[in-house]
Amino acid sequence: MATTSKGPAEVTAERLRERGERVTPARLAVVEVLASTEEHLSAEQIGERAEELRPGIHRATVYRALEALGEFGLVTHVHLGRAGTTYHLAGDLAPRHLHLRCSECGTVLDVAGDILDPVRRKLQRELGFQLAPEQVALIGVCADCSARG
């Protein structure tokens, strides 16, 4: 018997139902938009794409959906400094990753989420501090800008 893997929207719907939360078109549209891209999208961009995907969804409803999905741990955001705040799927809905932002050109690079695990463990062990870098961009200078400098 073949098994089918569920997409992020189906998993989100199940998790919302398990929590006793409503499965709304806006919430599903947000997840579908985020699942369909590797771009770093702002709330406004997500709203635009959600409206294209499901005409009639109001932008304010999309913003509320983003906030609710964040509270449920299904969507997270990262502050990219002058590039603003962007959103992506969280937990097992998407691969864990961190963000690097070039302070010269503004380019944002994604890196493996476990790259700072040794630092996390050391901070936890020595200071009892739990590092959570997923919601901020690590700032530095990219290879292209370094080469120009």
Side-chain angles (χ1 to χ4, degrees):
M1 182 169 156
T3 59
T4 59
S5 63
K6 296 177 183 174
E10 294 168 303
V11 172
T12 297
E14 283 181 3
R15 291 190 182 158
L16 290 172
R17 287 185 191 106
E18 288 169 1
R19 294 176 60 102
E21 298 292 341
R22 295 179 340 178
V23 178
T24 67
R27 290 176 179 180
L28 294 179
V30 165
V31 171
E32 290 169 11
V33 166
L34 292 174
S36 71
T37 186
E38 291 184 14
E39 295 175 80
H40 299 97
L41 299 178
S42 68
E44 183 175 334
Q45 291 168 317
I46 294 167
E48 290 169 1
R49 293 184 188 189
E51 286 180 289
E52 291 171 7
L53 190 62
R54 304 248 172 99
I57 292 178
H58 192 274
R59 191 83 44 102
T61 305
V62 170
Y63 295 159
R64 286 192 299 276
L66 271 171
E67 185 176 327
L69 291 169
E71 289 174 10
F72 306 147
L74 299 168
V75 169
T76 190
H77 63 279
V78 61
H79 301 285
L80 296 176
R82 67 179 179 218
T85 300
T86 64
Y87 296 81
H88 51 85
L89 296 176
D92 61 351
L93 294 177
R96 186 174 139 228
H97 66 280
L98 304 179
H99 301 86
L100 308 177
R101 184 175 65 81
C102 178
S103 60
E104 300 292 319
C105 68
T107 296
V108 177
L109 304 169
D110 290 344
V111 295
D114 63 354
I115 198 165
L116 291 180
D117 282 355
V119 174
R120 287 178 199 247
R121 286 190 295 274
K122 183 173 179 143
L123 290 172
Q124 175 64 38
R125 184 177 60 251
E126 293 180 11
L127 302 173
F129 186 83
Q130 294 186 14
L131 183 66
E134 290 87 359
Q135 292 190 339
V136 297
L138 302 172
I139 309 299
V141 179
C142 71
D144 290 342
C145 290
S146 291
R148 283 192 290 254

